[in-house]
Amino acid sequence: DLNGDAGEDLVVIFRESKEKNSMLVVLVKEGEFQCTNEVAAPVSNQVITFKDIDDKPPLEFIVQGMKGSNLGYAIYRVEGSILEDLFGEGMEDCC
């Protein structure tokens, strides 16, 4: 549950080209699906970790990965239907 409504949501990382991936969250709201905005995502070795960083809903998640030898990570939160980048390091080089 990434937006605090007790529904199961889905983080999706998808390939746009050989050198570019994007990510969005599919939210389940009252039996219907709604997608957040797209953000850049690591090209390879992606790992998604769900973590309640601030001890209150909604749940944050960490995405890390690589592009070539560049490693990066970022912490995200869904606010309404917007996927927000809270903090990260090196994502500009791995996405």
Side-chain angles (χ1 to χ4, degrees):
D1 180 19
L2 296 174
N3 60 352
D5 69 353
E8 291 187 10
D9 304 311
L10 178 68
V11 178
V12 179
I13 296 177
F14 59 96
R15 182 166 294 224
E16 290 198 35
S17 69
K18 185 177 180 181
E19 296 295 318
K20 183 179 180 195
N21 282 2
S22 291
M23 174 178 63
L24 56 79
V25 174
V26 179
L27 302 167
V28 180
K29 290 187 173 190
E30 299 174 7
E32 296 188 12
F33 301 105
Q34 178 182 11
C35 294
T36 66
N37 53 304
E38 296 176 11
V39 297
V43 173
S44 62
N45 298 323
Q46 302 94 347
V47 176
I48 301 170
T49 306
F50 299 96
K51 182 125 177 112
D52 188 2
I53 294 171
D54 59 2
D55 294 323
K56 63 181 184 177
L59 184 68
E60 293 81 22
F61 63 99
I62 303 163
V63 176
Q64 61 187 36
M66 300 178 75
K67 180 177 182 181
S69 63
N70 297 312
L71 178 66
Y73 76 93
I75 301 169
Y76 295 94
R77 178 188 301 141
V78 175
E79 294 286 346
S81 61
I82 304 296
L83 181 55
E84 292 196 21
D85 181 346
L86 302 177
F87 177 81
E89 187 172 317
M91 287 296 273
E92 64 279 354
D93 296 326
C94 76
C95 298

